Amino acid sequence: MSPVAALRRIAFLLERGREDTYKVKAFRTAAAAILPLSEEDVRRRAEEGTLTELSGVGASTAKVITEAARGEIPQRLQETERVHGVPLTVDGAGDGLRSRLRGDLHSHSDWSDGGSPIEEMAFTAIELGHEYLVLTDHSPRLTVANGLSAARLERQLGVVDAVNDHLAGHGFTLLKGIEVDILDDGSLDQTDDMLAKLELRVASVHSKLKMDKDQMTRRMVNAVSTTRMNVLGHCTGRLVTGNRGTRPGSQFDARKVFEACAEHEVAVEINSRPERRDPPTKLLELARDIGCLFSIDSDAHAPGQLDFLVLGCERAEMAGIEEERIINTWPRDRLLAWANR
């Protein structure tokens, strides 16, 4: 394993284990620092002990680079594999469905509240076997997550085109998307012209989660029924574990919302983040029985979190949801035709 690959693998595993961002950043920063160097230059610096003279390389990352340059498996990598490299589910639960997912429809980059550049998210998606990944950074109202204005989103679309040009021939496409806020009246937090330029749109409620049940129902049904949205993201907004604490889900008439989803062919997201597990099991089963489409998404905010998909697959398998109703098992062209019908 090359020093760059060793550093990236450690970062991936730490992200997969939901470790704090500051613990991850050092490894990705060091990988970026040595990436332009030749193998000979890296090896020479390792032998001379001058790696820490490079901006972005500290003592701990220099040790990883030195061990990898010698042809060894770095000790830090071995430790991280032991702690965070274990399967995320027990006895292979979800693996069968996971192998049939072609991509992920909900991911974030450092353009909003993600931790890594767009290209790093794309590279990792390729390494995980994805055929496509939809980039869905936040919309402007979510200022705490550095949501994208129409102008910033327009610039991002050019970056996506450049990434796809660079990755041509890899059998992978980075798709243009958004996680757009559902506003209080059910409208979406982006211009209709801008939404029309995108290839897929996840819409989620992020504010006023304690809104009155009837009002929240009207808000969600209006969004599902009258806007360009394709996927209803983490529908209750609940948090069940994690360093952000816990939070109860919002209250709404789930039957009315899911019936609207089924009527308008809006997919219900099975959010794979361990702290969300959204929708709750009873609502997931209700959406199943009503006949909804589904999307199993990672909601990844870092490359290693793209591996969370198996957790959503485990829940879908347990709920007995047919593969054909899971839209990210579909080929890219079919997915895009559905999303832009």
Side-chain angles (χ1 to χ4, degrees):
M1 182 176 288
S2 73
V4 169
L7 291 165
R8 289 184 69 241
R9 178 64 179 171
I10 293 170
F12 174 91
L13 290 168
L14 291 173
E15 291 161 349
R16 187 176 183 265
R18 294 185 296 150
E19 293 283 357
D20 291 335
T21 300
Y22 77 88
K23 293 182 180 180
V24 179
K25 188 175 181 180
F27 296 96
R28 293 208 178 275
T29 301
I34 66 171
L35 184 61
L37 304 181
S38 67
E39 291 183 19
E40 182 180 342
D41 285 344
V42 173
R43 193 177 301 112
R44 175 180 57 78
R45 283 184 173 274
E47 291 171 354
E48 295 173 352
T50 61
L51 284 166
T52 55
E53 295 177 3
L54 296 170
S55 176
V57 179
S60 61
T61 52
K63 183 178 180 183
V64 171
I65 296 167
T66 299
E67 291 170 348
R70 291 173 183 161
E72 303 169 6
I73 300 176
Q75 182 179 351
R76 181 61 184 272
L77 177 56
Q78 294 181 56
E79 293 170 354
T80 309
E81 288 279 8
R82 185 170 62 253
V83 175
H84 294 304
V86 297
L88 294 174
T89 61
V90 177
D91 296 330
D95 285 351
L97 179 55
R98 172 66 187 88
S99 70
R100 295 188 289 278
L101 291 188
R102 296 173 182 264
D104 190 340
L105 310 187
H106 188 169
S107 69
H108 299 274
S109 76
D110 60 3
W111 280 60
S112 64
D113 61 343
S116 287
I118 293 170
E119 58 271 23
E120 185 66 29
M121 297 297 289
F123 295 155
T124 303
I126 291 171
E127 291 163 356
L128 291 174
H130 289 20
E131 295 176 21
Y132 49 78
L133 173 69
V134 186
L135 179 62
T136 55
D137 279 322
H138 289 285
S139 62
R141 176 169 168 173
L142 205 62
T143 54
V144 70
N146 194 27
L148 274 63
S149 65
R152 288 183 65 217
L153 180 54
E154 186 78 59
R155 291 198 297 274
Q156 186 183 81
L157 301 187
V159 174
V160 172
D161 286 335
V163 170
N164 281 326
D165 287 345
H166 180 74
L167 295 175
H170 284 77
F172 170 85
T173 308
L174 184 63
L175 298 175
K176 299 170 182 176
I178 190 172
E179 184 183 13
V180 60
D181 269 25
I182 297 175
L183 302 179
D184 297 1
D185 62 356
S187 60
L188 300 185
D189 180 37
Q190 190 49 272
T191 67
D192 200 55
D193 286 346
M194 196 70 241
L195 292 172
K197 295 181 180 182
L198 304 177
E199 292 169 299
L200 191 138
R201 307 139 201 97
V202 176
S204 308
V205 172
H206 287 108
S207 61
K208 298 185 180 178
L209 295 178
K210 295 181 181 180
M211 180 179 280
D212 172 79
K213 180 177 179 178
D214 290 342
Q215 290 180 306
M216 182 65 80
T217 301
R218 286 194 296 272
R219 178 183 185 180
M220 297 174 74
V221 169
N222 190 50
V224 168
S225 305
T226 66
T227 75
R228 288 181 176 271
M229 67 182 288
N230 304 120
V231 177
L232 176 61
H234 48 70
C235 64
T236 75
R238 73 174 187 170
L239 295 173
V240 296
T241 186
N243 56 16
R244 289 193 289 168
T246 60
R247 179 175 69 205
S250 57
Q251 297 297 304
F252 55 91
D253 186 326
R255 178 169 292 278
K256 286 184 179 179
V257 172
F258 293 153
E259 285 176 347
C261 286
E263 179 182 354
H264 295 279
E265 293 191 56
V266 169
V268 175
E269 178 181 72
I270 301 174
N271 190 289
S272 300
R273 294 193 68 85
E275 68 268 34
R276 286 196 180 275
R277 290 180 58 83
D278 206 357
T281 299
K282 287 185 178 179
L283 295 193
L284 180 60
E285 292 172 345
L286 176 63
R288 174 202 64 197
D289 294 344
I290 286 171
C292 292
L293 296 171
F294 295 92
S295 175
I296 301 175
D297 298 326
S298 68
D299 192 1
H301 286 65
Q305 295 173 6
L306 290 167
D307 217 17
F308 287 166
L309 284 178
V310 71
L311 297 172
C313 290
E314 177 186 35
R315 298 193 67 216
E317 285 186 350
M318 290 180 66
I321 296 170
E322 302 95 327
E323 179 182 332
E324 176 62 19
R325 292 167 61 185
I326 300 169
I327 62 175
N328 48 327
T329 66
W330 298 352
R332 182 196 64 182
D333 289 349
R334 180 184 176 190
L335 175 72
L336 294 181
W338 166 83
N340 297 285
R341 59 196 184 280

